[in-house]
Every structure is written in C-alpha cells, then in structure tokens.
Amino acid sequence: MRRGRGHLPGPPQQGYGFPPQGENPYAQQPAYPPQPPTVPQYQVGPGGSGPGPAPKKKLTLLIAAAVAAALVLGGVGYVAFSGEDKDPKPVAQQPTDAKPSGSPSVDKGDGNGAGGGQQADLNAGRKQGEDKVLWLKTTKIDGPGMGVDAAGQWVVGDTVVKSIWKNLTGYSVTDGKEKWTLPFPALICSVARQATADGRTVVMYRDGEGENTSCTQLRVVDLRTGKEVWSKTVPSEGLFDIFTSPTLSMIGDTVTVSRGGTASAFKISNGDKLFANPLGDGCNPDSYEADNGRMIALATCSDEDSTAEVHGIDPVTGAKGWAYRLPAKFKVTSIYSVNPTVIDIGNEQTKQRSIVVLGPDGKQTATLESADGLAVGCGDTGLFRSLVTCPSAVVDANTLYLPTAAGSGKSNEIVAFDLTSGKRKWRVPAGDKRTLTPLKALDGRLIAYRKAEEEQGGEVLSVPADGGTPTAVLRHPSGPAAPIERTFTLPKLDYVDGRFFISSTHLRAQGQDEKLLMVFGK
C-alpha cells in the first residue's frame, strides 16, 4: 500500500471561519420562499395603469400576480413565487407520521402544465434573440406539514425523470408528456445523482410510514422504462448502524450506501453485497464518494486526535490503495472533485482552512491560492460526514471552476484554478447584479448558468477554456417566464443536448399547484 502522508496545506488560510459557510446560490441558498395564500381568480394587468412607473416592489408583486392569474386561468396554476427575496431559513426535514390526505398528483396533460388545459403563453413578449420555454410542469400535492422532497433529476435519452415524494415520474424531454410513473411503498429518502450508461439509478426509501422508520430500502430503477430492476433491505453493519440520511454514490457496477459513520457497497446489476467499511489499521471509512472513474473514502482514525484520512478505494473490493493523512485536528469539509481529488479541509479550533489537490497516489500536489470570496463549503462537518461532491464545482482536464459568493442584489463571478500550480487562471464576471454557477465541462469549454432576474430570463453560457468572452447557447425568454424561472429555490440544474432543465427539490405540498420542472430550448 502506498501512503501519501501529504505536507501541511499551506500556510493554511486564516479568517474564513469553520465550518465554511457556502453562499453558492444553488447549493446553499435559503429554501422555501413564502407564497401567496391563494391564487387570484381574476386577470391582472402586469404593467399597472396609474400615472408614472410603479415602485419596483409593487411592480414585482403585480407581475407575480399577473403570471399566477394567467397560469390559473389557463389551467396551469402557479403559486410558487413571491415578489420578495426574504426567504425563511431552511428547516430540517424530519420524518413525520402525518397522514397525507392524498397521494402525489402529477398532471397527465399535454406537457404544458397541470391538467392539459390551454396554457398562458410563457413565451409571450420574447425579445429578439431569446429562445423558448419548451414546457413547464406543475404538480399539486396535499402532504405532510413540512412538505415533501423532490431531490432527484436525471436526463436519460429522450426522458427526464423527477423524484417526487413517493414516486419517480418520467417525462418526454421534447414536450413534457408523462411517459411513466413508478410508485414507492413509502417516502423516497435518498437518491443517487448519477445514472449508469444503460440508464439505471439507485433510490432509497423508508421501511414504513411514521416517525419510527429508517431509510433502509434500496431499489434500482431503469429510468428509460420506469421499471424496478430489484429491491432489497440494506443490512445493518453493527449495533450503531443508523440509517437516518444515507448518501448514494455510483461507479461502474457499484453503488455505495454511506450513513452515520458506516458504509457498504452493492452490485447495481443484481444487488449482491460487495463490501462494508473494512477494519484496517485503525482508520475506518465513514463514507464513500465516486465520480469520473475514481472512488475515495473519508476515514476517521481511532487515535486520540481522531485523525482524518482520505483513501483511494477499489470500487469492487473496497481495498485501500493509498491514504492521505490530514494535518492534526483538520477535517474534510467539502469535496470539489473526486478525480482529480480536490478537497476543502479545515480546523475548527484555529479557523484555518485550505483547498488541496491530491495526485493519483494520494500525495498532495498543490494548494489553491486564497479562497477568499469563493462560494465554498457545501459539506456537512458534523459527526457523520457523508459528503457528496459539491454540485457547483466543475473540473475539466487540469482546471477547477468555482463560483464566488453572491449576496442579495450582488453579482458574482466564476474563478478558474490551475490544479498543477494552484494558481488562478482567470475570472469571468456574471454582470451587474447577476449570478453565475458552473454546470459542466463540455467539449473543452465550461457551461455555466446565469440566473434569471425579475424581468430578464436566464442564460446558458459557453466559456472558452482560456477564459475568453462567454457566448450564450440559450437565452431564456423574458416576460411571464422570467419570474417563474427566477424563483426556483435550491434547484436542480442540467444542460443536456441543447436543453436546459431546472427543477424544484422541495415542495410545500399544501394542496396548491407548484412549479416542478421547467425546460428551455430552441
């Protein structure tokens, strides 16, 4: 075994605090905005009729009311946005034994909204050069008081799939028509973000209804057909194996289930158990994460300092190939990339932190320049560190792309880092009061999303590898579509085959229509 002990990260950077509080507008923004109690059942003119321009706040509310009314009158009901940005703080989502008065009701219309009635034209008033809303999907659920999760989104071929409370539902990417729905016996409690080459993914659901249930049920689903491949109960690995909030990661034919300091792995093809977190030299894996052909584990050692390590893992056997030992009292707080391995580490006591790069043998090869201003820290630094790769971090070849933090009414930028030297390569600003987030690397270029504003649609941008002038590959329409696009909170984002997908990851489930999934294209 090769052990990459690694050098100290630094000097470690001071003054950022610990744990790092990320301000990524998509991974960390406040959730669940306030909504109007009812949808107005009359037509409202968006521009106002009084003399002179309306105050901005009032105008925003009028536009919101107009769109809500138009969507309701057109059969699309929409109440998931308001004219203010003062969102309440996220609320911890705990199991509940509340009895829902109904099951999820996803529309089965023509893909243009709830119920298939005539829809208000979301492309009305498009400006020259703007592209289209292809379709908007809404759903009405009467569920538990704390709402329901809708965390999963996968685009597989001609189908986009959403997880919604106790269902997976597949829609046609072209027109939004429902293709299939797969119900689950209890609420879905964890989803893998990846899918296999043949369109399979892994989902976990609870072992019953009510408070005293656990997230132990594992199911593999064919996303193309909506059929179950297999289901099984994940066996306990010991007395203190707690299935509260497992995380799933997939690589090849392996899926790992990491939870509460324990982890195990299974074959995606048939459910056979591959390994559980092995007893090694006193440094046992807490959780596994995989991406881009590599698997790593976060481990805690049984020494007096509970020293942390990162391990390179064989995804078939679970064997440790290398180990990188963090400096004393440091922990991994975020993962920005698995291959190459880029991690954020920090010391809670001294408030030091660094972003370090590990080579294929686990040895530290670089430390990123000052992370001042970066929207970093999307991980859980608590006792159970089942971390997943930050969704707003993108790696391509030897470059890491991270967004800077964006506050209310403030703009941000994307920063590119050279992973060999750790130095900044370039910055691309979002523009006045705009927000950029990286999406993916595609054909040697960075694909990024510029968030919509109240009266301006979002954009999908292509940024050259050298940081040159971005070009818009999609310009989303202004008019009634922009305030809807703008108010997706904690959204799941993707750009596939020329289409942009944005979906809700949590629904209030109060018996009113809510936006679920919006798709843009040419």
Side-chain angles (χ1 to χ4, degrees):
M1 180 193 74
R2 300 186 307 275
R3 179 176 293 274
R5 289 290 178 180
H7 47 280
L8 287 175
Q13 300 162 23
Q14 300 278 356
Y16 300 109
F18 185 94
Q21 298 299 312
E23 295 177 87
N24 181 302
Y26 303 105
Q28 296 281 321
Q29 70 182 32
Y32 326 147
Q35 299 181 27
T38 58
V39 178
Q41 300 296 316
Y42 50 84
Q43 191 73 35
V44 180
S49 57
K56 185 174 183 180
K57 180 176 178 181
K58 182 176 180 181
L59 177 60
T60 301
L61 292 171
L62 287 172
I63 293 174
V67 177
L71 290 175
V72 167
L73 293 173
V76 176
Y78 173 69
V79 295
F81 61 89
S82 71
E84 299 188 63
D85 291 324
K86 297 180 181 179
D87 299 342
K89 298 296 182 184
V91 182
Q93 299 172 30
Q94 300 292 338
T96 176
D97 59 358
K99 300 298 182 184
S101 60
S103 59
S105 173
V106 180
D107 80 72
K108 299 183 179 181
D110 60 3
N112 292 323
Q118 182 181 2
Q119 181 184 357
D121 184 5
L122 296 180
N123 293 306
R126 276 194 303 149
K127 300 175 183 177
Q128 185 176 3
E130 292 183 339
D131 297 301
K132 301 176 181 177
V133 177
L134 299 182
W135 47 275
L136 168 66
K137 188 64 59 173
T138 63
T139 185
K140 182 188 292 184
I141 299 175
D142 189 1
M146 298 184 73
V148 300
D149 285 330
Q153 175 186 290
W154 305 266
V155 182
V156 179
D158 62 357
T159 304
V160 54
V161 180
K162 275 294 296 178
S163 66
I164 315 168
W165 195 17
K166 301 178 183 179
N167 288 341
L168 291 188
T169 302
Y171 306 96
S172 167
V173 297
T174 56
D175 57 18
K177 290 183 178 178
E178 185 178 313
K179 300 178 73 171
W180 54 261
T181 292
L182 177 65
F184 284 69
L187 66 87
I188 294 171
C189 47
S190 183
V191 297
R193 71 183 187 281
Q194 307 106 320
T196 63
D198 57 354
R200 294 181 176 184
T201 198
V202 186
V203 176
M204 295 191 76
Y205 58 98
R206 304 193 75 82
D207 56 12
E209 300 284 354
E211 291 183 352
N212 298 319
T213 60
S214 297
C215 187
T216 60
Q217 305 302 300
L218 191 67
R219 176 180 287 185
V220 171
V221 177
D222 186 328
L223 296 172
R224 299 179 188 273
T225 65
K227 303 295 184 183
E228 174 186 326
V229 180
W230 54 261
S231 293
K232 69 179 297 179
T233 299
V234 178
S236 174
E237 297 298 333
L239 184 62
F240 300 104
D241 193 355
I242 303 172
F243 290 83
T244 50
S245 301
T247 59
L248 300 171
S249 191
M250 297 166 53
I251 179 173
D253 193 31
T254 299
V255 58
T256 58
V257 182
S258 303
R259 70 273 179 189
T262 305
S264 47
F266 305 88
K267 279 190 174 183
I268 297 171
S269 56
N270 58 19
D272 288 350
K273 184 177 176 179
L274 290 170
F275 58 87
N277 52 336
L279 294 176
D281 56 1
C283 299
N284 300 320
D286 301 322
S287 65
Y288 297 92
E289 175 67 342
D291 200 15
N292 196 25
R294 177 184 293 178
M295 176 177 285
I296 61 173
L298 304 183
T300 302
C301 302
S302 56
D303 56 19
E304 184 178 349
D305 293 330
S306 297
T307 303
E309 290 189 347
V310 180
H311 296 169
I313 299 294
D314 184 314
V316 176
T317 66
K320 178 170 59 178
W322 51 261
Y324 167 78
R325 176 162 289 194
L326 274 65
K329 305 296 185 181
F330 275 70
K331 303 295 182 185
V332 176
T333 61
S334 297
I335 302 172
Y336 299 123
S337 173
V338 176
N339 189 15
T341 302
V342 186
I343 53 175
D344 202 324
I345 64 175
N347 183 318
E348 183 175 11
Q349 296 176 350
T350 63
K351 311 303 180 186
Q352 296 171 298
R353 59 174 287 259
S354 291
I355 300 175
V356 300
V357 183
L358 305 183
D361 57 358
K363 293 181 179 179
Q364 184 175 329
T365 59
T367 302
L368 265 61
E369 283 187 339
S370 172
D372 188 21
L374 292 176
V376 294
C378 68
D380 172 15
T381 58
L383 177 62
F384 304 136
R385 296 174 300 112
S386 297
L387 301 184
V388 296
T389 305
C390 292
S392 60
V394 172
V395 168
D396 185 29
N398 206 37
T399 303
L400 170 69
Y401 305 96
L402 287 174
T404 61
S408 178
K410 298 179 181 179
S411 61
N412 81 330
E413 56 191 6
I414 292 175
V415 184
F417 291 91
D418 185 311
L419 293 180
T420 300
S421 65
K423 296 184 180 298
R424 288 190 183 93
K425 297 173 66 175
W426 48 257
R427 295 173 177 262
V428 169
D432 185 38
K433 298 182 180 180
R434 303 300 297 272
T435 301
L436 273 175
T437 191
L439 291 181
K440 62 174 57 178
L442 186 65
D443 300 328
R445 300 169 70 90
L446 173 69
I447 301 298
Y449 172 58
R450 180 147 54 193
K451 186 180 177 182
E453 294 299 309
E454 295 174 5
E455 300 175 7
Q456 185 173 359
E459 292 176 295
V460 177
L461 302 178
S462 175
V463 184
D466 62 1
T469 303
T471 57
V473 295
L474 281 179
R475 296 182 185 274
H476 303 168
S478 304
I484 301 177
E485 180 188 358
R486 173 184 174 272
T487 52
F488 276 88
T489 53
L490 296 174
K492 186 77 173 180
L493 309 171
D494 206 354
Y495 176 74
V496 182
D497 295 334
R499 301 182 185 92
F500 177 75
F501 301 81
I502 181 170
S503 67
S504 300
T505 56
H506 187 88
L507 300 172
R508 295 174 64 87
Q510 296 179 352
Q512 296 178 322
D513 275 313
E514 300 177 79
K515 64 183 182 299
L516 175 68
L517 175 61
M518 198 172 191
V519 183
F520 300 82
K522 295 291 185 181

